[in-house]
Amino acid sequence: MDNLIWGYVYPNEVEIQWSILIVLYPYITGLVAGAFIASSLYHVFGKQEIKPVARFALLTALSFLLVATMPLLTHLGHPERGIEIMFTPHLTSAMSGFGYIYSFYLIIVVLEIWLSFREDIVKKAHSSKGWKELMYSALALFSYDISEKALHEDEKLAKRLAIIGIPSAAFLHGYVGFIFGGIKANPWWSTPLMPLIFLMSAIVSGIALLILLYIASMKIRKHAIDHKCLHSLAHYLWVFLIFDVTLELLEIISMKYESLEEIDIINRLLSDKIAFTFYGVQLTMGIFIPFVLLLLVGMMKNRETLKMIMISISSVFVIIGVFAMRWNVVIGGQEISKSLSGTLTYVPVFFSQEGVLPAIIILVIPFIILRVITYILPPWKDMEEEVT
Amino acid sequence: MEVTRRKFTKIGCKVILGAAAVSAIIESVVTNGTAAENSPAGEYDWNEHFWGYVVDTRKCIGCGRCANACKLENDVPFDEPVYRTWVERYRTKRDGEVVIDSPNGSINGFPEDIPPEEVKKAFYVPKICNHCDNPPCVQVCPVGATFATKDGVVLVDYQYCIGCRYCIQGCPYGARYFNTEKGTADKCTWCYHRITKGLLPACVQACPTGARKFGDLKDPDSIVNKILDEERINVLKLDLGTKPKVYYIGLDREVR
């Protein structure tokens, strides 16, 4: 154990408190926020080219949102008391808002999905029999009005909800950034930029995930890819990458330029502990390479297959890069001692309550949920009609 | 054996003097062992007190008896690297390198792992929860399970803590730890069970050199107030605005 420690760390710091599960938590909520904001590009800003994935993006957001509490509850010393965060929130704590922000956002996403799918649900209820009819009727809340006027009302309400949804998504994730950014005890976390950095990286990870899931779904369904939609998503990914990298570099540069008391330990963190995951994965792989690839995609003409491959590679890199970013924040911040005189090393365990195995399980569950929801509520209806 | 009058008187005097000395020592130990006068058991009023703590780093000899006494008194797991109080050793070598350590929180004392002739300057610094007046750990607790009492002590409600460990992240001093048995955060209580009965915290009581002092900031004559009135004192990480109530005498710039 001793060779994992360099210099002097406070005796109580030897054990890393927030493990890989807490890396997962901002990662998952980030994917949620990103996917939702991608769908809002259509629902709120009327970007028609996003329409093919708009409903799918909502289902993706819901699938990940449903597991967002899992890593937290698994991590708690007393999971059975977790609900107290709702009953007796201590309002000076950034964390105390979690229950309410999460629930509010969940309601918005569910309502948004219901409004977007209501017409389909009602039609399904009419066309199916037995338990399926019952299920879809229940999903339709036994209200079958799908007249032009009713659908128009739905759309108006959906737009209003999405307008509320954007700040909530931004808040849900920006606030996760504040959980870290508001900790003055930790010089690697304490920065007012943190919520914005979290938000931008959330949006890029959500869009990248959506791109990959869209391409995968079309391949599985043997359906042609809407390249206009794909390129539009890639364009937004590129734009948000710029915001993301600007903020991330701004933080590091100002830290290094101001060179406060903690700079020695920050430099050691960056050059030793997280050098590979920060400069290598987070910045080069997760931002720089996708940035260049997407720039080329934007400049190239025709060659749709090549462009699709480049967009896919960029998206995979972005998703890995954002995971590295969460890792570098959560784990990196705990690998420096608050004594500012030493570092320690987090060694992930595979089989344990807070190990890699539960983390993998928690990351797989949303894809299963998504498969089930897309079975019940197929999001691709519009496109099929267009094709046939 | 024949006992002359002279011998008898001599022995008698010795016995009387010895008894007097022993009783005086016991008396002084007991008096030094009280945190405040006029606080008989059962009638403790937390509105009447506001506790403070002084560490005189110049007096600490790094024996680790405080850290030991604390673990014994408060059932802090001995076989885990968790501490409510500990002692740090700072050594500046002749080449200018500063070596800081606190092996097992100083419980077993300090090994002489650097030849004394290579050490230019050395000193010990006892550490303990600062029971901040503006405690960041209380601020970040999402359910209010950790709180500051009216007499200025930061405590954890073990029946309420959900074990999220945000407070451990929020403490700039590394004073908190996760108690795996309780499944909750845990920390120094300034031996609340003792001070409310008029006794001193175990670490203060155990210190053989008087490097640790505890007293009532509301009592102008308390030992802590006397020191605050006379000495030049400092606190740890002043710039973080936590307003610590552990005051240090002789704090070196290397200490964080």
Side-chain angles (χ1 to χ4, degrees), chain A residues 1 7-8 10-18 75-79 81-96 178-180 182-186 189 261 334 338-341 354, chain B residues 81-83 86 88 90 100-102 105 127 134 136 138-144 158-166 168-178 182-184 237 239-242 256:
Chain A
M1 189 186 252
Y8 174 66
Y10 292 135
N12 285 329
E13 286 182 318
V14 172
E15 306 224 352
I16 297 249
Q17 298 297 333
W18 283 356
H75 163 81
L76 287 187
H78 280 281
R81 295 180 192 163
I83 195 70
E84 297 294 353
I85 216 165
M86 301 281 282
F87 293 147
T88 58
H90 184 239
L91 296 176
T92 60
S93 168
M95 203 183 268
S96 70
F178 189 77
I179 285 184
F180 295 95
I183 293 298
K184 62 185 170 190
N186 191 320
W189 289 348
E261 188 187 14
Q334 296 176 86
K338 292 170 194 158
S339 69
L340 308 182
S341 307
E354 294 203 37
Chain B
V82 293
Y83 310 87
W86 65 95
E88 295 169 354
Y90 290 73
I100 314 168
D101 64 350
S102 181
K127 289 280 187 81
N134 182 20
V138 171
Q139 181 187 34
V140 301
C141 176
V143 294
Y158 304 114
Q159 266 75 54
Y160 213 76
C161 171
I162 62 174
C164 71
R165 292 164 242 193
Y166 199 17
I168 303 176
Q169 307 288 5
C171 174
Y173 306 101
R176 286 176 167 254
Y177 58 91
F178 188 71
K182 293 177 187 158
T184 66
K237 300 191 179 180
D239 53 322
L240 292 183
T242 52
R256 288 191 190 94

Side-chain angles (χ1 to χ4, degrees), chain A residues 144-353:
Chain A
Y144 305 101
D145 182 3
I146 48 168
S147 61
E148 280 279 312
K149 197 177 155 226
L151 288 180
H152 185 65
E153 289 293 316
D154 281 5
E155 207 168 293
K156 262 167 64 183
L157 189 58
K159 185 173 177 176
R160 277 183 207 151
L161 271 175
I163 290 172
I164 305 171
I166 295 175
S168 343
F171 197 63
L172 174 76
H173 200 68
Y175 130 92
V176 177
F178 189 77
I179 285 184
F180 295 95
I183 293 298
K184 62 185 170 190
N186 191 320
W188 182 236
W189 289 348
S190 176
T191 159
L193 286 180
M194 199 60 98
L196 289 172
I197 293 176
F198 264 58
L199 191 56
M200 289 308 139
S201 53
I203 293 174
V204 296
S205 70
I207 296 177
L209 176 75
L210 193 59
I211 288 174
L212 290 177
L213 284 174
Y214 174 62
I215 293 175
S217 305
M218 292 301 107
K219 292 287 168 199
I220 292 168
R221 294 163 47 81
K222 296 194 170 52
H223 194 286
I225 286 169
D226 182 335
H227 288 286
K228 220 176 145 192
C229 172
L230 191 63
H231 291 164
S232 180
L233 285 173
H235 173 73
Y236 286 114
L237 180 58
W238 185 76
V239 170
F240 282 110
L241 271 178
I242 296 175
F243 289 126
D244 190 28
V245 73
T246 306
L247 291 168
E248 283 177 19
L249 289 181
L250 184 61
E251 190 207 337
I252 297 300
I253 291 168
S254 58
M255 255 186 200
K256 291 206 176 220
Y257 191 80
E258 290 186 358
S259 287
L260 298 175
E261 188 187 14
E262 62 268 15
I263 192 63
D264 289 340
I265 202 71
I266 298 283
N267 279 338
R268 181 166 271 271
L269 176 73
L270 285 171
S271 63
D272 177 29
K273 306 304 295 185
I274 59 168
F276 175 70
T277 49
F278 186 78
Y279 294 114
V281 187
Q282 180 181 336
L283 290 181
T284 308
M285 182 184 179
I287 295 179
F288 183 68
I289 295 176
F291 177 82
V292 173
L293 284 178
L294 293 172
L295 187 67
L296 290 174
V297 167
M299 294 193 302
M300 273 158 57
K301 290 200 173 101
N302 303 320
R303 298 186 143 203
E304 297 300 346
T305 318
L306 180 63
K307 281 205 248 178
M308 192 191 72
I309 292 169
M310 285 163 76
I311 293 173
S312 307
I313 293 173
S314 305
S315 301
V316 171
F317 280 13
V318 165
I319 281 193
I320 296 171
V322 172
F323 184 82
M325 180 265 175
R326 309 293 188 233
W327 177 279
N328 293 333
V329 171
V330 178
I331 302 297
Q334 296 176 86
E335 286 190 331
I336 53 169
S337 168
K338 292 170 194 158
S339 69
L340 308 182
S341 307
T343 60
L344 50 165
T345 308
Y346 170 60
V347 182
V349 196
F350 194 80
F351 296 103
S352 88
Q353 193 191 330

Side-chain angles (χ1 to χ4, degrees), chain B residues 89 91-95 111-122:
Chain B
R89 171 172 64 176
R91 286 174 294 179
T92 312
K93 288 164 56 175
R94 300 233 169 260
D95 59 9
E112 208 173 83
D113 49 0
I114 301 175
E117 59 273 16
E118 283 180 30
V119 179
K120 191 162 58 176
K121 172 180 169 185

Side-chain angles (χ1 to χ4, degrees), chain B residues 73-87:
Chain B
E73 177 71 24
N74 297 294
D75 287 329
V76 182
F78 258 94
D79 47 352
E80 284 177 41
V82 293
Y83 310 87
R84 292 186 178 194
T85 186
W86 65 95
V87 179

